[in-house]
Amino acid sequence: MKAFDSLSAIYDVIRPIIDLGILTFILYKAYELIIKTNGIQIIKAALIVALAYAGALLLKLDTLRWILNVMGPGLLIAFAIVFQPEMRKLFLKMGQTQWFAFGNRSRHTYVDSVLIAAEMLSKQRRGMLVVFMRHTKMDDIINTGTKLNADLSSSLLVTIFGMDTPLHDGACFVQGGKLISAGCFLPLSEQYDIKKTFGTRHRAALGLSEVSDAVVLVVSEETGAVSLAYDSKLHYDLTMTELTKILENLLDITPDAYQLEDTIDESKQAN
C-alpha cells in the first residue's frame, strides 16, 4: 500500500511534465505542418475574423456582432471554398508525416546517378526534370508519360534529356533505383508570387511539390542552375554538395528530414 502511495505521489509530480511535453510535441508538429503547407494564410484569415468579433464584443458594436453571428455559417463555407487548396495540402501532409522514425539510415546510391547526369546537362545548358517518389501515389501523372521500369543510370538520363527525343520535354519518375516513367506531364504551381524568370519546368516542379511529398530536381535550360522543389518550396541554384546532403536526408525519411534550412542559404530560396 505504501509502495502504491509512493508511486502515486511520484506520478503526481511528473504528470505536469508529461502533460506539457505531449502538448509541446503536438504544437511543434502542427507548426511544422503549417510551415510546410503555407497554411499560415489560413491562420491569418481566422485571426482577422476572430479579432473582428472580439472587437465587436469589447466595444459593444451590436450591429457588427449581429452581422457576424448571422454570417457565421456562410463565412465557414466561404472559408472552406477560398482556402480549399491550402486545406487540402494540410491534410495531405498530415497523412504523409511520420511522427516517429526509427531504424538505421541507408545510403541511396542512385542519387549519385541523377546528380552526375544533372551536372553534365547543366554544363550543356540542357533542361532536366526528375521526380524522386516517396509516399504519395501518382499513378495518374505517371500514366501521362511512357513507362520504362528501367535500371537507373546517368547515361540513360543524359540520353533522354540531352537530345531532342520525344521524352525530353516531360519529367522522369525515379523510385528505388528504377526509372519508372519518362515524358510525364506535371501539374503547374498554383502560387501567384513565383519569379517571372522561372520557366515551365520550375513551375511544374513546384506544382508537384504542392500536391505530393515528392522531391523534384530541375535543371534550368537558360542558366544551368540545379534546383530542388519539395514541401511547396523551390530551392534554387544549389551546389552538388548541398544537393547530395538534402536528397539523402529527404529520401531516407529521417526525423530531421525537413529541418534543412541550415544547409540552404536563405538567398537561394525562391519563395
Side-chain angles (χ1 to χ4, degrees):
M1 190 66 180
K2 290 183 178 180
F4 178 78
D5 291 339
S6 299
L7 289 174
S8 179
I10 294 173
Y11 177 71
D12 288 339
V13 173
I14 66 173
R15 183 173 55 187
I17 300 174
I18 296 174
D19 193 15
L20 184 60
I22 293 174
L23 181 61
T24 303
F25 178 76
I26 293 174
L27 289 175
Y28 174 72
K29 286 297 180 179
Y31 172 77
E32 275 191 331
L33 284 173
I34 290 171
I35 293 300
K36 289 187 291 183
T37 58
N38 293 327
I40 194 66
Q41 298 177 30
I42 302 176
I43 302 298
K44 287 180 179 178
L47 282 175
I48 290 172
V49 176
L51 287 173
Y53 192 79
L57 288 175
L58 184 63
L59 300 175
K60 298 181 179 180
L61 304 176
D62 295 334
T63 304
L64 179 59
R65 185 175 60 182
W66 176 80
I67 291 174
L68 289 174
N69 286 331
V70 171
M71 295 180 61
L75 286 174
L76 287 176
I77 296 173
F79 188 86
I81 294 173
V82 172
F83 292 101
Q84 186 272 336
E86 285 78 9
M87 294 177 71
R88 180 178 179 274
K89 293 171 192 174
L90 184 65
F91 286 110
L92 179 67
K93 293 295 182 182
M94 191 180 297
Q96 294 165 354
T97 299
Q98 290 194 350
W99 286 46
F100 301 95
F102 302 98
N104 297 324
R105 294 175 56 184
S106 58
R107 183 177 177 85
H108 288 257
T109 54
Y110 64 85
V111 168
D112 297 332
S113 298
V114 178
L115 292 183
I116 290 171
E119 190 170 22
M120 293 174 64
L121 292 168
S122 173
K123 293 177 180 178
Q124 299 173 15
R125 292 293 193 275
R126 299 291 298 188
M128 176 179 176
L129 197 57
V130 175
V131 178
F132 293 95
M133 298 174 62
R134 292 203 280 179
H135 294 95
T136 306
K137 289 187 177 182
M138 295 174 283
D139 293 343
D140 54 335
I141 299 176
I142 291 174
N143 289 335
T144 63
T146 301
K147 290 188 177 181
L148 299 178
N149 290 320
D151 291 334
L152 180 64
S153 68
S154 56
S155 300
L156 180 56
L157 289 173
V158 171
T159 300
I160 292 174
F161 292 105
M163 303 177 184
D164 294 328
T165 65
L167 303 178
H168 87 285
D169 277 335
C172 285
F173 277 76
V174 171
Q175 187 176 45
K178 287 284 187 179
L179 183 56
I180 306 299
S181 185
C184 302
F185 297 99
L186 307 185
L188 298 181
S189 174
E190 299 175 356
Q191 297 184 28
Y192 57 85
D193 55 349
I194 306 174
K195 289 184 178 180
K196 301 293 184 182
T197 54
F198 288 156
T200 305
R201 281 195 178 90
H202 291 87
R203 293 173 184 270
L206 187 56
L208 187 64
S209 74
E210 292 171 357
V211 298
S212 74
D213 64 345
V215 184
V216 189
L217 183 146
V218 54
V219 177
S220 172
E221 197 168 279
E222 289 75 21
T223 65
V226 185
S227 311
L228 284 179
Y230 58 91
D231 292 337
S232 303
K233 291 183 179 180
L234 180 66
H235 303 276
Y236 185 72
D237 194 14
L238 303 174
T239 66
M240 287 297 140
T241 301
E242 291 172 333
L243 288 164
T244 302
K245 185 175 181 180
I246 294 169
L247 284 171
E248 288 180 353
N249 275 300
L250 289 172
L251 298 178
D252 282 339
I253 319 298
T254 56
D256 61 342
Y258 294 104
Q259 309 304 317
L260 299 170
E261 299 306 320
D262 291 339
T263 306
I264 309 170
D265 188 275
E266 292 183 359
S267 64
K268 293 182 179 180
Q269 292 192 16
N271 293 325

